[in-house]
Amino acid sequence: MKIVENRFKFFAVSIVIILAGIVTMIINSSAGKGMFNFGIEFTGGTSMSVQVGEDFSNDDITHIIEEVTGQKSPQVQRIIGTDSVSIKMQSIDGDMRTKLSDSIKQKYTNAVIDSIVDVSATVSQEMQMTAIKAVLIACICMLIYISIRFKDVRAGGSAIIALVHDVLIVMTCYAIFRIPVDNAFIAVLLTILGYSINSTIVIFDRIRENGPKFRKHQTAEKINKSISQTLGRSINTTLTTLFTIGAIYILGVQSIKDFSLPMIVGIIAGAYSSIFVSGSVWYLLLPKSEKQ
């Protein structure tokens, strides 16, 4: 496998996908939808809990909300094992709350409004900062760990670049599919970072083990050989994980799908970056004396 020699082709694939995400964000922002479909945990809004008292569908509840409030992307989630529903939407005033409650009760005569509460913008800003800090801290810790383990800060740097690649791909998924950016977003990012760095470290370990078998100027061959030797492990690990997450996506409710879809994209992106990006970036960072 000539992965290092064809590195710019693999880089181009990633760049095209990321650019598609950026273009989508710009289009959504220009249309007034926002770059991402932020949940009220991030933007502030109104949370409503309703005991419907009979069988219902999320689509019917969503239609009522859209018709009364004019909002296009409320988050409606059935509470598993009950006949209740959790609704999250942009902030609405007292009159709008009354109209929405009346409309729901008109559709479902046994419905009881359990609670209507506001999520403040202050809390939402704190959550945004928490998400950013969590990702930054994770990346910094990984950079330090990998640099020390492989005694080369370029190894740590290339691994972090691969992780940034994975984060951008996942964000592209959120932008294109308008997946709600809520508490699960933080969990998805941190899970993907951990999954991806594990695969990258396996490849880097093999590169280090193969070091004595190659001459100093045979770095490209060494990286290619190491990736080939760990390719089976990388593919098998990715597939088994995808089978599990894929089953959850197919069988799960909407809230679970909103979590599992970006996970699927992130796992694939992590496997791609580990195999085709991380080693090639490490090669680019090496001095000319260690290259062909």
Side-chain angles (χ1 to χ4, degrees), residues 178-250:
R178 301 296 291 171
I179 300 172
V181 178
D182 50 23
N183 292 334
F185 174 74
I186 304 174
V188 168
L189 287 186
L190 294 179
T191 302
I192 294 305
L193 291 179
Y195 179 90
S196 178
I197 200 65
N198 180 63
S199 297
T200 299
I201 288 177
V202 169
I203 294 175
F204 282 8
D205 264 333
R206 185 56 59 89
I207 293 174
R208 181 176 59 179
E209 292 170 1
N210 286 334
K213 301 176 184 179
F214 292 84
R215 296 179 180 179
K216 188 175 182 180
H217 66 279
Q218 293 181 315
T219 304
E221 292 94 326
K222 179 176 64 178
I223 294 175
N224 289 337
K225 183 67 174 179
S226 300
I227 294 174
S228 298
Q229 290 173 340
T230 56
L231 186 61
R233 182 264 182 200
S234 298
I235 293 176
N236 290 335
T237 302
T238 301
L239 288 178
T240 52
T241 307
L242 285 177
F243 289 152
T244 304
I245 303 298
I248 294 175
Y249 177 79
I250 294 172

Side-chain angles (χ1 to χ4, degrees), residues 80-123:
I80 299 175
T82 71
D83 57 3
S84 298
V85 63
S86 173
I87 301 169
K88 296 178 181 179
M89 69 195 94
Q90 298 172 18
S91 295
I92 56 176
D93 57 25
D95 291 339
M96 189 64 71
R97 293 182 185 189
T98 302
K99 291 180 182 179
L100 180 57
S101 299
D102 291 342
S103 296
I104 292 176
K105 291 178 180 179
Q106 184 177 357
K107 174 71 175 180
Y108 303 100
T109 55
N110 297 321
V112 176
I113 310 300
D114 291 331
S115 65
I116 303 179
V117 296
D118 286 326
V119 178
S120 68
T122 302
V123 173

Side-chain angles (χ1 to χ4, degrees), residues 156-169:
S158 59
I160 295 304
I161 291 174
L163 292 182
V164 172
H165 162 278
D166 301 337
V167 170
L168 292 176
I169 296 293

